[in-house]
Amino acid sequence: MIELNNIEMIYDDNGTKIEALKLKELKVNDGEKVAFIGSSGCGKTTLFNLISGMLLPTKGKVTVEDVGLTSLTEGERDLFRANHIGYIFQDFNLFPDFTVLQNVVLPMSFSKRYEKGEMEKEALAMLKRVGLDGKKDQKVKTLSGGERQRVAIARSIVNKPNIILADEPTGNLDYKNGAKIMELITQIAKEEKATLLVITHNNSQLDMFDRSINIEELNEAIK
Ligand SMILES: Nc1ncnc2c1ncn2[C@@H]1O[C@H](COP(=O)(O)OP(=O)(O)OP(=O)(O)O)[C@@H](O)[C@H]1O
Ligand SMILES: [Mg+2]
């Protein structure tokens, strides 16, 4: 279960306060597939950064799988994320000068799930899953956008997270490849019995989800 209560997120941009998100309550049950919608700037990425513990709210409580993220230290939140959450970032956050394989192995070394000897084998299995095993030794900066997207997916699921957060995973892709990527993500989530949260602007994808939440309507900071 993911639960947010009485959240307020106010960014401090060199002394200028930016109230980005204010919401009373948000709950997502285990195994649910939820789409997050709403116009640009309404707070969707901010919400995902709070759920993943990348960001602490100015006020309020974030609880993920019975763990109060808002009472953990940064190091504890990093470890929690490595073991429980797979995050496909809006801008991928890959290391361009590392190879495909190195990018996927990296988060494995943060979680304590795998022995050193197992990591590469698991990472390769994941790359095969997204159809990129043939490119494992290529540097990420030499890949196409869709290929980078698939590396980001492989990296986010390699630790077998219970929760997958995908921030506009098809935002940079054409319709056909976008549909393929969404299918891949939902299939992996189903196999792993993971809770899936996806930010999307693509209305044609909404029927793949159990429900959709409009952050623009929920966010009291922009009313
Ligand atoms: N680090 C930051 N410092 C200051 N303001 C920020 C920061 N990050 C986001 N914001 C502001 O918070 C608001 C919400 O941003 P957020 O990135 O969550 O929007 P979004 O819904 O993901 O938008 P998009 O669909 O364009 O990705 C915006 O007004 C943005 O300018
Ligand atoms: Mg965003």
Side-chain angles (χ1 to χ4, degrees):
M1 171 106 105
I2 298 167
E3 204 172 345
L4 285 87
N5 292 102
N6 299 314
I7 292 295
E8 252 188 88
M9 183 65 220
I10 301 169
Y11 290 107
D12 187 343
D13 186 19
N14 287 323
T16 310
K17 306 273 186 212
I18 298 164
E19 195 184 11
L21 195 63
K22 187 173 178 190
L23 53 90
K24 273 204 183 68
E25 193 189 61
L26 181 85
K27 271 188 195 173
V28 178
N29 288 319
D30 290 342
E32 253 195 307
K33 296 199 291 285
V34 185
F36 288 80
I37 57 173
S39 60
S40 178
C42 77
K44 303 179 297 298
T45 299
T46 301
L47 175 72
F48 272 26
N49 288 340
L50 291 170
I51 293 172
S52 66
M54 307 261 301
L55 203 64
L56 277 181
T58 316
K59 276 187 197 156
K61 203 173 160 198
V62 180
T63 312
V64 179
E65 293 181 349
D66 296 326
V67 176
L69 292 190
T70 30
S71 358
L72 300 183
T73 64
E74 192 176 354
E76 289 168 336
R77 281 183 277 127
D78 287 346
L79 189 63
F80 181 85
R81 186 166 53 254
N83 283 309
H84 297 263
I85 296 177
Y87 197 162
I88 305 165
F89 296 98
Q90 188 162 17
D91 50 7
F92 307 161
N93 272 4
L94 297 170
F95 291 92
D97 285 311
F98 282 24
T99 67
V100 168
L101 185 61
Q102 286 166 338
N103 266 280
V104 178
V105 167
L106 199 68
M108 305 177 90
S109 50
F110 295 132
S111 89
K112 303 220 154 63
R113 194 179 291 271
Y114 296 104
E115 301 287 328
K116 251 204 152 51
E118 291 178 321
M119 288 185 193
E120 204 165 298
K121 203 172 128 237
E122 276 297 322
L124 276 171
M126 253 342 132
L127 284 172
K128 199 163 183 181
R129 191 86 180 65
V130 299
L132 277 181
D133 45 328
K135 301 215 175 219
K136 71 179 172 68
D137 295 321
Q138 212 167 307
K139 281 189 178 162
V140 158
K141 66 180 175 192
T142 69
L143 300 181
S144 75
E147 288 166 346
R148 285 175 208 211
Q149 190 64 277
R150 283 184 279 154
V151 179
I153 292 170
R155 184 187 56 177
S156 74
I157 56 171
V158 78
N159 283 333
K160 308 268 159 61
N162 317 96
I163 296 167
I164 300 172
L165 303 175
D167 193 347
E168 296 192 39
T170 61
N172 304 301
L173 300 177
D174 58 87
Y175 183 81
K176 199 171 132 215
N177 280 301
K180 266 197 210 159
I181 291 280
M182 269 316 299
E183 227 176 272
L184 180 65
I185 295 173
T186 45
Q187 199 184 336
I188 288 167
K190 199 172 155 194
E191 280 168 25
E192 303 293 336
K193 295 189 174 61
T195 309
L196 177 64
L197 281 63
V198 178
I199 295 173
T200 180
H201 286 289
N202 189 341
N203 288 338
S204 69
Q205 292 173 347
L206 293 184
D207 54 359
M208 302 177 99
F209 297 90
D210 299 321
R211 61 180 168 126
S212 59
I213 297 176
N214 189 333
I215 296 303
E216 207 172 336
E217 284 170 9
L218 213 62
N219 185 359
E220 290 169 28
I222 53 174
K223 275 188 179 153

